Amino acid sequence: MKILQILFCILSCLCVAAAVFVGVFCGWEWFALVAAFAIVFAGAMFLIKRKRTPPRRTTDFMNSPEENERISRENNDE
């Protein structure tokens, strides 16, 4: 999912950059078309970002013993 998010971000940025040149050389109709694609790719990027689930917390030697115990209990409850 992270790869799709990065891909849609790059495509959105490329469409925005291309929209400037297309608008200058081809007219506002083509500019609107390329800008619409940029909006679609940006929307897809944000939708994928919302669907990503947070990673499961694991115990760590940097945590206090109490915090590790709480994380272990949370993971066992699932």
Side-chain angles (χ1 to χ4, degrees):
M1 291 298 257
K2 182 77 171 173
I3 293 174
L4 282 176
Q5 183 181 354
I6 293 170
L7 177 70
F8 284 135
C9 180
I10 291 170
L11 287 173
S12 178
C13 291
L14 288 175
C15 282
V16 168
V20 173
F21 293 107
V22 168
V24 168
F25 294 118
C26 298
W28 70 270
E29 298 91 1
W30 290 102
F31 167 80
L33 179 69
V34 177
F37 278 111
I39 291 170
V40 167
F41 288 136
M45 177 187 65
F46 286 120
L47 281 176
I48 288 175
K49 184 177 182 180
R50 271 189 19 177
K51 287 186 178 184
R52 285 186 38 208
T53 58
R56 242 176 110 175
R57 290 190 61 194
T58 58
T59 57
D60 191 357
F61 71 94
M62 297 290 287
N63 294 341
S64 67
E66 294 83 20
E67 188 173 2
N68 281 335
E69 180 64 31
R70 185 176 49 81
I71 291 170
S72 293
R73 274 187 269 125
E74 288 173 1
N75 288 340
N76 288 335
D77 290 342
E78 294 174 356

